[in-house]
Amino acid sequence: MKPIVVGLLGITHPHASARVRALREIEGVEVVAAADDDPRLTYFTEKYGVEARTIDEVLQDDRIDAVMVHSKSKDMVPHALRALAAGKSVVVEKPGGGTVEDLLQLAQAEAQAEPGLVVQVGYNVRLARSIGQAKELIEAGVIGDVVSVSARGAALVGEHLTAHLNQPADMGGALWIIGCHMLDSLVHMFGAPDSVNARVHKSARLSDETSREDSAAVLLNYPDMSVTFSFDGHDRLEWFESSRISVYGTAGMIEIGILPQKLRVYVDQDRVGWKAGWTEWTESYFTPPFARTESNKFSELPELENISNFHPEMRGWVDSIRTGSPVVAPVADALAVAQIVDACYRSEKELGASIEVESA
């Protein structure tokens, strides 16, 4: 088993500590150092037992094989490029940058990287067991041919005020930074759409000009399938508790829950080991708080309580580094998500007109 030594470039993204904890449950993996010019670096390194270093010190350490990038969006790709140039595999926190141009640059860098280096983007909702099982059922034809999909995503009420959702260099706010999770899951399951129609709404009743969009209604257009995605930036349930995907086929349907993870499958007759009618699986009837304490709920270091989706994500990254297995969240999909979100904003400027999604 190849030992893997990991460092961090940036620690302010809420997912940084979750990935450290998930990696430390994998045999033969060490997380040894972190770099950031943020004053909270000391808190992070002391709490998670890593050494505080400069970016150059992390990149020049020949013992470090791989780097996790948890910086501000505008710095994600520059950090990733430096890590790849230093011969280190990377996982870049979602959405992989602040703009479509960032993701294009990351894709180019991946294509030019030396053999054996792995580039993964930090999308992990796609790795929920419920989504994975649903994808397998769809591909096996259990519900026949898919004809329509309805999806919902949300940001927690109050989150719209955070600096995290209002980074000046980002192309958007809550739809881009939070909505991207569900859009990535749709891309993972069905590929990228041909075009998008969208209305991205800002409501004076909900927020003022100091924050970005409040909601969005999106139509993803495929050759022979319609997909709708509704996004709300002021949900009062826990993160992802109200997020869901419903898939309608010619012979049945599937309802997918994210947190708690759940799956409801309906088939019109016995098929491929599934009995006619409803079959339901639920991981848990109670959603653990996503952040551990109320006081740090919206901080940039919330130290997430529920990290179930980070375990398969980090195992996938490590397996790709060790064995060359396929990347579980590839740059190509992250680029497709960026292009979809960009198309949503452009569609809104044209009052919901159809905007073609560029091919990744």
Side-chain angles (χ1 to χ4, degrees):
M1 182 183 296
K2 178 184 176 183
I4 304 292
V5 180
V6 179
L8 287 82
L9 298 184
I11 51 87
T12 57
H13 192 282
H15 293 169
S17 62
R19 289 197 174 93
V20 170
R21 288 153 56 203
L23 279 174
R24 284 179 168 164
E25 295 185 22
I26 302 174
E27 185 179 355
V29 177
E30 292 183 73
V31 185
V32 298
D36 202 312
D37 57 8
D38 191 281
R40 289 166 291 190
L41 177 64
T42 300
Y43 168 85
F44 185 93
T45 55
E46 289 179 353
K47 179 157 188 177
Y48 293 99
V50 297
E51 183 180 340
R53 298 185 190 173
T54 66
I55 292 174
D56 287 340
E57 287 171 341
V58 171
L59 295 177
Q60 292 169 8
D61 187 339
D62 291 336
R63 185 169 172 253
I64 292 177
D65 308 284
V67 165
M68 298 193 293
V69 178
H70 292 95
S71 62
K72 303 301 183 191
S73 299
K74 68 179 179 62
D75 297 322
M76 287 178 178
V77 172
H79 286 338
L81 298 189
R82 290 191 64 187
L84 290 169
K88 305 181 191 305
S89 293
V90 295
V91 61
V92 186
E93 175 52 55
K94 62 84 194 168
T99 64
V100 172
E101 290 71 24
D102 285 343
L103 271 300
L104 286 168
Q105 191 176 11
L106 186 62
Q108 182 178 19
E110 178 189 41
Q112 296 173 348
E114 64 182 70
L117 293 185
V118 172
V119 185
Q120 182 171 306
V121 180
Y123 282 113
N124 52 63
V125 170
R126 62 160 53 202
L127 300 175
R129 183 180 170 193
S130 55
I131 288 180
Q133 288 187 330
K135 189 173 187 293
E136 291 176 4
L137 295 177
I138 292 166
E139 291 173 350
V142 171
I143 62 168
D145 295 329
V146 175
V147 293
S148 66
V149 180
S150 175
R152 169 178 164 76
L156 190 61
V157 63
E159 193 174 7
H160 69 292
L161 298 172
T162 62
H164 181 54
L165 296 191
N166 293 282
Q167 298 178 53
D170 281 3
M171 68 173 170
L175 177 63
W176 172 223
I177 300 297
I178 306 295
C180 65
H181 272 299
M182 295 302 290
L183 288 170
D184 172 72
S185 296
L186 292 171
V187 168
H188 176 53
M189 296 174 74
F190 305 109
D194 294 335
S195 63
V196 166
N197 295 78
R199 298 309 305 264
V200 183
H201 189 58
K202 179 72 176 171
S203 172
R205 293 180 300 140
L206 296 172
S207 61
D208 60 24
E209 64 279 357
T210 60
S211 65
R212 289 170 169 165
E213 64 266 12
D214 294 309
S215 62
V218 181
L219 180 62
L220 307 176
N221 305 307
Y222 293 79
D224 194 26
M225 177 179 69
S226 67
V227 178
T228 58
F229 174 57
S230 65
F231 181 79
D232 178 13
H234 301 272
D235 196 295
R236 294 195 173 274
L237 299 180
E238 277 290 334
W239 275 288
F240 298 108
E241 187 175 0
S242 63
S243 297
R244 66 184 72 90
I245 300 173
S246 298
V247 184
Y248 302 91
T250 55
M253 62 180 291
I254 300 174
E255 295 178 348
I256 307 165
I258 308 302
L259 283 178
Q261 293 186 41
K262 55 187 176 182
L263 203 64
R264 296 183 74 224
V265 181
Y266 175 83
V267 291
D268 57 4
Q269 60 185 13
D270 293 358
R271 182 181 293 104
V272 198
W274 291 78
K275 292 289 187 182
W278 286 101
T279 301
E280 182 171 347
W281 165 79
T282 303
E283 178 188 53
S284 169
Y285 284 100
F286 301 95
T287 302
F290 207 59
R292 286 184 167 181
T293 67
E294 187 68 26
S295 62
N296 74 4
K297 178 182 289 188
F298 291 128
S299 77
E300 291 181 310
L301 299 172
E303 298 165 298
L304 308 184
E305 179 68 27
N306 190 321
I307 66 169
S308 59
N309 295 334
F310 291 89
H311 294 295
E313 178 197 32
M314 290 295 92
R315 285 196 298 270
W317 187 47
V318 170
D319 287 346
S320 294
I321 295 171
R322 281 177 169 160
T323 70
S325 61
V327 175
V328 296
V331 177
D333 286 359
L335 173 56
V337 172
Q339 290 168 329
I340 290 168
V341 175
D342 176 66
C344 289
Y345 293 133
R346 289 191 286 133
S347 179
E348 168 58 27
K349 289 179 180 179
E350 297 185 30
L351 302 180
S354 181
I355 302 296
E356 184 176 344
V357 176
E358 295 183 24
S359 173

